[in-house]
Each structure stands twice: as structure tokens, then as C-alpha cells.
Amino acid sequence: MAEVVLKDVSKVYEGKNIAVKNVNLTVKDKEFLVLVGPSGCGKTTTLRMVAGLEEISSGEIYVDGKLINELSPKSRDIAMVFQNYALYPHMTVYDNMAFGLKLRKYSKEEINKRVTNAAKILDLESCLKRKPKALSGGQRQRVAVGRAIVRHPKVFLFDEPLSNLDAKLRVQMRTELSKLHNRLEATILYVTHDQTEAMTMGDRIVVMKDGSVNQIDTPLNIYNFPVNLFVAGFIGSPPMNFINGKIIETENLKFVNDDKSFSVDLDSNRYTGIKNHIGKPVVLGIRPENIYNNPDDNLILKKHRIKLEVAEPMGNETILYFRFGNSQFIARVHAIEKPRPGEEVDIYFNLNKLHFFSLDDGKAIR
Ligand code: ATP
């Protein structure tokens, strides 16, 4: 069992800089929970408070029901893997992994058993005698993880562990860490600013902004039901299209953009909340992947002929940029042969995949 609970946790740095505001969250036993958000939103500070590296200004942190606020980092039974790996350059891989255990006065046999086992899990057996400078980025990253594993901690904390790796290695290590999580059945709190990492690795995701938690849910629920404009725009790549406009009532309910160059009829049984926003400013959201050039007949679609501003062929798909009046759209469509700016193409909006947000407070309208 290893459950971490944060209750109303805040951090105020000197000079009244509020880095973390009343954070409430639970990392369930064996869960991989990802904290994600833009730079400066308080992710690292939150993680460091759990590790005991940063004092908690107010609130409580519990591990398995035990209050740990006053415990020193080394008494917390929590291991942290840092962004820069923090390996000792003059020590071999073996000694780097053994160091923490030596400090805690484990026997030579026990240390050997744990380091050998971790090296096996992480495929580092052939590197144990090397120093960090003789390792690749991915191997160094694995040593840093190994140093955490050997301690058999209750909880693992990861602070952007993949950000120093090149794009290809990052994808590979993402899968490695997910496999490791399953194998160790570990409780993991993982920090990243990369929404793809969050979506692919997390059992659940915590989206943070300006020190506060905006939404906690599974990756798919966050993708399908973002609670506000920030979460909707942060999760998903390319990001969701946002079109400012209002809801008007004719024979149907309708969304019309600000300069009236774009409109869609709305099914008020599907989008029940919009009835309360008639005449008010709202933002319509639609993800680029819900605009097609090659529609499926079973979908409820609205067809438009548009003029391409830019088209980016990606091989398996094409990213299209176009606009209606002042409203800019991005669509992610089936690959188009040699698309040219200025060319006219038919595109289709999936009317079952619209999102609406109040312009006043940015909250989703449901
Ligand atoms: P990044 O992804 O850039 O690391 P983050 O989301 O992890 O960002 P934090 O490092 O937790 O953000 O920082 C949150 C806020 O607290 C920022 O405004 C930052 O400038 C501030 N901050 C962090 N450390 C300190 C410190 N030691 N003293 C004062 N302010 C700090």
C-alpha cells in the first residue's frame, strides 16, 4: 500500500510569490499520476514538497494516512528522479546506484543484490563499471531511475525525467517507464510540461495552471470533457480551435461567430447547457481531428468549401490552415497530394464533437 494525499497544500515563497495554491489530490496505491501544466505553474514545487525538499507553507501531506509534513526527506520512504539525473560523475554506475544504500548502512550483500536486480530490470548490466560520462543519455536516465528503484521506496517522484533526451529516445523511454511502472507496481507522481507524456503515461492527469489544479481525471476524460478553456487548449496537439461568437435562437439554436462569417446549427438535446447562454458571448471549440476532408457518412457533419492558407503534409496526414473571416481554423485531415495555398477544398465539421465555453469565466458549458 502506498497512497499519497495532499490536503489544501500551498507554497508561498519569500516576497509573497504564491507558487502553489490549495492543492488537493490523491495519488492512489500503484497509480501513475501525472502533474502537467505550463512552465511556472507550480508542478516542481508540489513534487518537492512531497519529497521534503521544500517546506510546506500550509496544508498537509499524508503517505498511507501518516502525516509527513515534519519528516526529513530521508525518513519519507520516497525516492525522487531529477530532471538532470544528479549522478555523481566520479562514481561508477554501480556505485551511483549503491550510494544511497551505503549511506543507510545496508550490508554489502543486500546492496549487491538490489543493485544487480535493478541493473537487470533496466538493462544496465553491461554498464555497471562505467562512469556516467561513458553512457548515452538514455542509459544515464536509467541509472537515475535505478538509484530510486534500489531503495524499494513506497513512492516514486519523477521531475521531467525525459526532457534532456532527444525526441526519439523520449518516445522509447516513455514506453520503458510505463512498463517499469507495471512491473514494479509502484505508486508514481510524475511531473511534465509535455501533454503527450501526460496523455500516454498517466493513469490520471492533474492539469495545473498558476499554482492551482484545474482538472483531475483520466487522459480520455480530460481530452473529451475539458472543464475550461485552458485545459481544452493545453491538452491536444495541434490545439483545439477556439472561435468567439454567440448562441442565437432562430427556428433552431445556432452558433454564429463574431463577424458572422461562420455558423452552425446546434442540436439542443446534445448541447443542453447552451440554452442558458442564448445571446451571450461564448467560445466554440472543435479539435483539428474533428474536421475532415474525407467524411464518414454516419456522422452528423456540416460541409464547407474553404480556401487553404497553409497546408503541411506530414506523410500520414495533412494539417490545413484556413479561416472564416477573423476565425482561424486548423484541421488534421487525411493526407492530401500536393496541397497548395489558395486551393479550394471541401471540409466537414463533426457537429457531435463541438465544445462550448462561457467567454466570461472560461468554464465549459454542458
Ligand atoms: P517548470 O516546468 O518551468 O519547472 P513548474 O511548473 O515546475 O515550472 P515551479 O518550478 O514549481 O513551476 O515554480 C512555480 C512558481 O514558483 C514560479 O513562479 C517560480 O518562479 C516560483 N519559484 C520556484 N522556486 C522558487 C524559489 N526558490 N523562490 C521564489 N520563487 C520560486
Side-chain angles (χ1 to χ4, degrees):
M1 240 321 253
E3 184 188 70
V4 184
V5 177
L6 275 69
K7 270 196 189 157
D8 272 329
V9 171
S10 297
K11 175 72 189 179
V12 186
Y13 283 111
E14 267 174 51
K16 309 246 181 318
N17 179 7
I18 307 175
V20 175
K21 286 179 219 160
N22 299 97
V23 166
N24 286 290
L25 62 87
T26 298
V27 196
K28 297 179 201 160
D29 185 37
K30 302 187 180 64
E31 185 175 39
F32 197 130
L33 189 76
V34 180
L35 288 184
V36 69
S39 184
C41 72
K43 312 176 291 284
T44 300
T45 303
T46 305
L47 202 70
R48 288 173 62 84
M49 285 192 282
V50 177
L53 301 172
E54 206 70 70
E55 210 174 297
I56 302 161
S57 306
S58 63
E60 287 128 39
I61 301 182
Y62 297 87
V63 175
D64 285 345
K66 185 176 158 195
L67 186 66
I68 59 162
N69 284 43
E70 302 300 328
L71 286 186
S72 71
K74 71 177 192 320
S75 323
R76 290 193 181 196
D77 214 354
I78 289 173
M80 181 147 165
V81 178
F82 295 90
Q83 181 173 0
N84 58 8
Y85 314 150
L87 301 180
Y88 299 108
H90 58 287
M91 284 186 200
T92 62
V93 167
Y94 185 100
D95 288 336
N96 261 289
M97 290 207 264
F99 187 70
L101 300 178
K102 279 184 190 156
L103 278 185
R104 289 174 176 79
K105 308 259 186 286
Y106 281 84
S107 71
K108 263 199 172 140
E109 294 71 40
E110 181 63 19
I111 292 175
N112 194 43
K113 197 168 102 196
R114 290 191 183 200
V115 171
T116 315
N117 190 36
K120 199 148 104 199
I121 292 173
L122 296 165
D123 198 15
L124 286 170
E125 286 159 302
S126 60
C127 308
L128 284 172
K129 292 200 175 106
R130 285 193 227 159
K131 301 227 170 110
K133 70 174 184 309
L135 300 175
S136 69
Q139 286 166 333
R140 272 180 222 158
Q141 205 275 336
R142 294 210 293 271
V143 178
V145 175
R147 216 166 40 175
I149 290 180
V150 293
R151 287 184 43 202
H152 299 172
K154 277 192 167 170
V155 180
F156 287 88
L157 307 178
F158 285 89
D159 187 9
E160 306 241 10
L162 307 186
S163 55
N164 290 338
L165 304 178
D166 66 44
K168 199 170 160 196
L169 199 52
R170 215 178 306 150
V171 175
Q172 191 185 327
M173 286 308 296
R174 233 159 52 197
T175 339
E176 294 295 321
L177 285 180
S178 292
K179 279 199 247 165
L180 188 70
H181 169 240
N182 292 334
R183 188 161 173 182
L184 297 177
E185 299 194 322
T187 302
I188 294 179
L189 182 55
Y190 185 104
V191 159
T192 181
H193 64 271
D194 179 343
Q195 56 93 25
T196 313
E197 259 175 51
M199 287 295 285
T200 52
M201 298 170 82
D203 293 322
R204 288 188 306 148
I205 298 177
V206 180
V207 185
M208 287 184 75
K209 183 183 176 236
D210 299 336
S212 300
V213 170
N214 274 222
Q215 189 167 6
I216 307 182
D217 213 328
T218 58
L220 277 187
N221 277 347
I222 289 199
Y223 176 86
N224 288 322
F225 309 106
V227 293
N228 60 27
L229 274 170
F230 172 74
V231 175
F234 191 75
I235 299 289
S237 174
M240 187 184 279
N241 296 291
F242 292 131
I243 313 299
N244 286 21
K246 64 180 174 192
I247 307 289
I248 57 167
E249 194 170 21
T250 50
E251 62 272 29
N252 284 321
L253 287 183
K254 212 187 221 317
F255 169 86
V256 184
N257 75 342
D258 279 347
D259 61 11
K260 302 187 174 53
S261 55
F262 175 81
S263 69
V264 275
D265 288 327
L266 303 170
D267 174 358
S268 53
N269 292 325
R270 172 171 281 276
Y271 301 108
T272 49
I274 55 172
K275 288 190 210 98
N276 304 324
H277 290 261
I278 295 167
K280 294 182 198 158
V282 299
V283 179
L284 175 147
I286 182 162
R287 295 199 182 275
E289 50 274 37
N290 297 134
I291 306 174
Y292 317 113
N293 60 340
N294 200 350
D296 180 334
D297 288 342
N298 297 322
L299 298 174
I300 301 169
L301 302 164
K302 170 148 191 194
K303 178 176 166 181
H304 279 286
R305 187 136 185 101
I306 53 109
K307 200 184 259 191
L308 294 183
E309 287 190 332
V310 179
E312 297 173 341
M314 311 292 285
N316 61 334
E317 60 187 20
T318 302
I319 310 291
L320 306 180
Y321 296 76
F322 57 93
R323 60 173 59 245
F324 289 92
N326 292 328
S327 304
Q328 172 79 55
F329 289 85
I330 303 179
R332 204 170 145 186
V333 301
H334 287 289
I336 300 178
E337 281 282 313
K338 297 196 184 131
R340 292 191 196 295
E343 189 178 323
E344 291 199 348
V345 289
D346 288 331
I347 48 108
Y348 303 81
F349 289 82
N350 185 340
L351 299 188
N352 281 348
K353 297 281 186 183
L354 305 176
H355 300 256
F356 292 96
F357 304 92
S358 153
L359 189 65
D360 291 343
D361 58 10
K363 287 192 182 147
I365 301 170
R366 299 250 163 79

